[in-house]
Amino acid sequence: MSFTTTTTSRATSISPSTSATATCTNPKPGKNGYLPPEACDAILLYVPSVAAAILFSVLFGLTLICHGFQGFKYKKKYTWVIMMGALWELLAFIFRTLLTRNQSNVGYDTAHVIMFLLAPLWINAFLYMTLGRMIYFFLPDQRLGRISAKRYGVMFVWLDIVSFIVQLAGASITTGTNVPSSTVMLGLHIYMGGIGLQEFFILVFTCLTIHLHHRMLSMEHSGKLDPDKLNRGSIPWPWMLYAIYTALVMITVRIVFRLCQYARGTDPSNPVLTHEAYEYVFDALPMLLALVTLNIIHPGRILQGPDSEFPKVSRQEKKQIKREKKEAKKAERALKNNTRRQRTEQ
């Protein structure tokens, strides 16, 4: 798969540094709709492996089932987020499998590209939400870096959504039909900007995760962590952070690969675009390892009990909280006004 796959009726030598267009050919499709790279309507720059596509479909399907079972077993409803990541990877490789048998089908390629490129963002969001719950569960003040546990998770998830929108915009631009080379490069730059933004958020998140790690180690040594919560899990709490670190490294490997892959544009002479193995080794495999790591060290094995989840607030309770806040603000204003009057009278 590559971004050149759906730019049909285009030049076959497209790169940021060249504007000249090469003359394309119109050969008759071969086995499974195969067209050589120099063909005008070529989608793939290589012959895809059906065995590899089926293998990864099965593997992502298995980790999806495991995450569903673990979410039910440990009563972690937010597991649906990582299940979406596994599902998108599964769908990506199902469409990939179909594409290997129909190599001239733009629809299969477009679905594969979008699912494959955006699935890691769901895994990212799951890590953000997990760390927010760790802060809520273990830290007595339920805050890290002056940010409450609940806002912490919500803040990073929204940043993840921003990155998602930017990447989706870039991917969508490049997957149109009859797209000129200038538009393809624009889409590539937007997509690369989106994954660069994602990596920046990951680096900030990693620093805060390390800060939490050190703080919890210090509190554990001084006996400030609740021993009951420490003993509830089936594995020690640091393993959850090690799993988060591992998943973040896997996502970073994938991001670096994508940046390197498209740094030269969509030139068919780029070996990364013409050899299928690169995408399996540096994208599909790291994401599979991240999902499996979170299967092995699932948050539910550490965060156990009703106090391991954010409390649910009903609509009536939310309205009551708003009323109390408004009343508190009114009282504060009234107190300030009275203080000013007294000062004026004096």
Side-chain angles (χ1 to χ4, degrees), residues 70-110:
Q70 289 175 313
F72 176 78
K73 177 182 178 181
Y74 297 118
K75 298 179 181 179
K76 297 297 177 187
K77 293 183 179 180
Y78 82 103
T79 300
W80 73 267
V81 176
I82 197 168
M83 288 178 66
M84 287 294 290
L87 177 62
W88 281 37
E89 293 282 5
L90 170 61
L91 292 174
F93 282 94
I94 288 176
F95 283 114
R96 179 72 166 193
T97 303
L98 295 172
L99 183 62
T100 63
R101 304 291 88 182
N102 301 271
Q103 295 172 32
S104 59
N105 190 303
V106 176
Y108 290 156
D109 178 67
T110 300

Side-chain angles (χ1 to χ4, degrees), residues 185-198:
M185 292 311 303
L186 174 62
L188 277 177
H189 291 150
I190 293 174
Y191 172 74
M192 292 173 71
I195 59 176
L197 193 64
Q198 180 187 2

Side-chain angles (χ1 to χ4, degrees), residues 224-281:
K224 294 181 180 179
L225 288 180
D226 189 340
D228 174 56
K229 292 181 178 180
L230 293 176
N231 296 325
R232 287 185 198 175
S234 58
I235 55 176
W237 65 265
W239 284 98
M240 188 68 254
L241 293 179
Y242 297 147
I244 290 175
Y245 293 142
T246 300
L248 290 174
V249 168
M250 293 298 100
I251 294 172
T252 297
V253 167
R254 181 254 180 195
I255 288 175
V256 172
F257 162 68
R258 287 298 179 183
L259 290 173
C260 293
Q261 181 184 28
Y262 297 116
R264 289 175 55 182
T266 57
D267 189 344
S269 65
N270 184 351
V272 181
L273 296 178
T274 56
H275 292 79
E276 183 181 29
Y278 286 109
E279 289 192 331
Y280 280 103
V281 173

Side-chain angles (χ1 to χ4, degrees), residues 139-326:
L139 300 187
D141 59 354
Q142 299 177 341
R143 304 177 72 86
L144 180 71
R146 298 182 180 181
I147 302 174
S148 67
K150 196 167 186 178
R151 288 184 178 179
Y152 187 90
V154 171
M155 177 181 69
F156 275 97
V157 168
W158 273 108
L159 292 176
D160 202 44
I161 291 172
V162 171
S163 175
F164 179 95
I165 293 172
V166 175
Q167 292 183 45
L168 178 61
S172 298
I173 289 173
T174 61
T175 53
T177 57
N178 300 315
V179 179
S181 60
S182 59
T183 304
V184 171
M185 292 311 303
L186 174 62
L188 277 177
H189 291 150
I190 293 174
Y191 172 74
M192 292 173 71
I195 59 176
L197 193 64
Q198 180 187 2
E199 183 59 25
F200 172 73
F201 296 151
I202 287 175
L203 291 175
V204 174
F205 176 76
T206 301
C207 291
L208 291 170
T209 304
I210 293 172
H211 175 51
L212 173 65
H213 197 163
H214 283 296
R215 182 176 173 183
M216 288 184 66
L217 285 173
S218 177
M219 292 177 67
E220 185 177 32
H221 292 156
S222 61
K224 294 181 180 179
L225 288 180
D226 189 340
D228 174 56
K229 292 181 178 180
L230 293 176
N231 296 325
R232 287 185 198 175
S234 58
I235 55 176
W237 65 265
W239 284 98
M240 188 68 254
L241 293 179
Y242 297 147
I244 290 175
Y245 293 142
T246 300
L248 290 174
V249 168
M250 293 298 100
I251 294 172
T252 297
V253 167
R254 181 254 180 195
I255 288 175
V256 172
F257 162 68
R258 287 298 179 183
L259 290 173
C260 293
Q261 181 184 28
Y262 297 116
R264 289 175 55 182
T266 57
D267 189 344
S269 65
N270 184 351
V272 181
L273 296 178
T274 56
H275 292 79
E276 183 181 29
Y278 286 109
E279 289 192 331
Y280 280 103
V281 173
F282 296 109
D283 192 326
L285 183 59
M287 292 305 93
L288 179 64
L289 291 175
L291 288 166
V292 171
T293 298
L294 294 167
N295 279 135
I296 297 171
I297 307 174
H298 192 275
R301 299 186 64 186
I302 297 167
L303 305 174
Q304 297 186 0
D307 50 352
S308 65
E309 287 290 338
F310 296 126
K312 292 182 179 180
V313 182
S314 64
R315 290 183 179 180
Q316 292 181 349
E317 290 174 332
K318 288 180 180 179
K319 289 180 180 180
Q320 182 62 29
I321 292 172
K322 288 182 180 179
R323 289 172 186 170
E324 291 176 354
K325 286 183 178 180
K326 288 181 180 180

Side-chain angles (χ1 to χ4, degrees), residues 26-36 39 47 100-104:
N26 292 284
K28 188 176 181 180
K31 184 180 179 181
N32 298 319
Y34 171 76
L35 288 171
V47 179
T100 63
R101 304 291 88 182
N102 301 271
Q103 295 172 32
S104 59

